[in-house]
Amino acid sequence: MTRIAVAGAGLIGTRHLDALRLAGIPVHSVIDPDPSAADIAARHGVPHHADLAAALATRPDGVILSTPNTHHRDGALACIAAGVPVLVEKPLAATVADARAIVAAGQAAGVPVLTGHYRRHQGVVAAARERIAAGALGTPVAAHAMFWIAKPDGYFDTAWRRAPGAGPLLVNLIHDLDLLRFLLGEVGSVRAIASNWVRGFENEDHAAALITFESGVICTAQISDAIVGPWSWEMTSHDNPAYPPTDQNALWIGGTHGSLALPRGELWDDGGRRDWMTPIRRETLTRATPDPLVAQARNFADVIAGRASPVCSGAEGLATLAALDALIRATRSGGVERPAP
């Protein structure tokens, strides 16, 4: 059976370990320089390695890389050089250049590289993508994404969470942007503004963006980790028990024949009459799905075994990071920015 190692035993790393267990996929080892990771490895009954090189020497079938963003490039390249498929937590890398290096190395070596944009594995997202492609909305025209959430003061006791790159744009909005790309296609241009006046840290605490897709769809996005509110995918999707659930939505897509609200999967239409005096009706898309991290782990195992293609490849992770990079550049330039090729 496929044995997968997990590098990085922090919050997301431990969730990956639990997901592998729930998916019935054997854990190869836990990789983390922190001595406390040995206890985590012991709980899973697997070896603990202080560094990635030591783990790769024991030949895992795959590695889930959940280390800090700045370590993604070196870790992914080490896995690729060893011929070991790797699933890299989002973002694929800290910079577009580093992400390009990872994707190029994987393609040259023929080693699978996946990106951990887990929302693509949710049942309601797959159903929404299918219905949009089938024309349920007619021609998509506009979209709106919301992320309003309040991170507690203690969250910022860790220094890197107050530094550039650790704000809600790179940590949180990248999820929404990947989901928008998955449902609506490639980003053409971006305008955006960001501010840090609420907390005064080096990174932003709120931002707004105007995103134009190559298809012509215009999307607005509002994001803040300093607002108490119920509108965020974390609270509305009910897929992470760490967040209190709400009965709201966080993403809206409107087209010439209907509209869709996610993640509740509410599809609205008026029977094709396109008349604002006609009663509008609601259909609810299926939300049935396993934990998306479990589904992602199974997809990774199937890719390793040659049974499936990645739901989110390294190339997809690169494209999402390039779109976010354009958005971040727009907050600095005050003008229109476009994703790098």
Side-chain angles (χ1 to χ4, degrees), residues 130-142:
E130 291 173 1
R131 296 300 292 275
I132 292 171
L137 304 186
T139 301
V141 175

Side-chain angles (χ1 to χ4, degrees), residues 79-330:
C79 291
I80 293 166
V84 176
V86 59
L87 189 158
V88 186
E89 253 304 329
K90 66 82 192 170
L92 182 59
T95 68
V96 173
D98 285 351
R100 280 200 194 102
I102 293 170
V103 172
Q107 291 174 344
V111 174
V113 175
L114 285 70
T115 310
H117 284 294
Y118 75 95
R119 291 183 190 173
R120 295 190 181 207
H121 295 269
Q122 292 175 311
V124 71
V125 170
R129 181 176 161 95
E130 291 173 1
R131 296 300 292 275
I132 292 171
L137 304 186
T139 301
V141 175
H144 179 62
M146 284 282 288
F147 177 88
W148 282 6
I149 201 167
K151 294 177 182 175
D153 292 342
Y155 175 89
F156 299 98
D157 290 343
T158 304
W160 70 265
R161 288 176 172 167
R162 304 189 298 271
L169 290 178
L170 190 58
V171 173
N172 304 111
L173 182 62
I174 192 166
H175 276 306
D176 297 282
L177 198 52
D178 184 74
L179 190 54
L180 287 163
R181 283 191 57 254
F182 189 57
L183 297 175
L184 297 173
E186 297 305 326
V187 171
S189 64
V190 183
R191 298 179 183 180
I193 186 170
S195 177
N196 67 343
W197 72 261
V198 177
R199 296 192 181 97
F201 297 150
E202 290 183 83
N203 55 27
E204 74 285 346
D205 46 46
H206 60 288
L210 178 62
I211 305 164
T212 303
F213 289 81
E214 291 181 353
S215 64
V217 172
I218 295 175
C219 174
T220 52
Q222 275 271 353
I223 185 163
S224 177
D225 62 9
I227 295 176
V228 174
W231 303 285
S232 70
W233 196 273
E234 284 75 5
M235 288 185 172
T236 58
S237 66
H238 304 180
D239 62 16
N240 186 341
Y243 296 98
T246 70
D247 61 354
Q248 302 294 305
N249 286 296
L251 176 64
W252 295 262
I253 301 172
T256 55
H257 285 73
S259 296
L260 178 64
L262 295 171
R264 291 178 63 83
E266 297 168 345
L267 180 61
W268 296 86
D269 74 86
D270 66 355
R273 295 185 64 177
R274 303 189 69 241
D275 180 349
W276 65 350
M277 298 299 181
T278 299
I280 194 166
R281 62 191 182 187
R282 177 176 62 185
E283 172 190 354
T284 302
L285 304 183
T286 178
R287 295 181 66 176
T289 182
D291 182 326
L293 286 181
V294 173
Q296 180 177 257
R298 288 174 176 154
N299 177 244
F300 186 31
D302 287 342
V303 169
I304 292 169
R307 296 188 295 264
S309 298
V311 170
C312 187
S313 65
E316 283 292 299
L318 168 58
T320 293
L321 183 60
L324 183 67
D325 176 70
L327 191 152
I328 292 172
R329 283 188 278 114

Side-chain angles (χ1 to χ4, degrees), residues 6 12-20 64 66 87 89 293 296:
V6 175
I12 187 61
T14 53
R15 287 201 69 208
H16 281 301
L17 287 166
D18 290 339
L20 289 169
I64 296 176
S66 53
L87 189 158
E89 253 304 329
L293 286 181
Q296 180 177 257

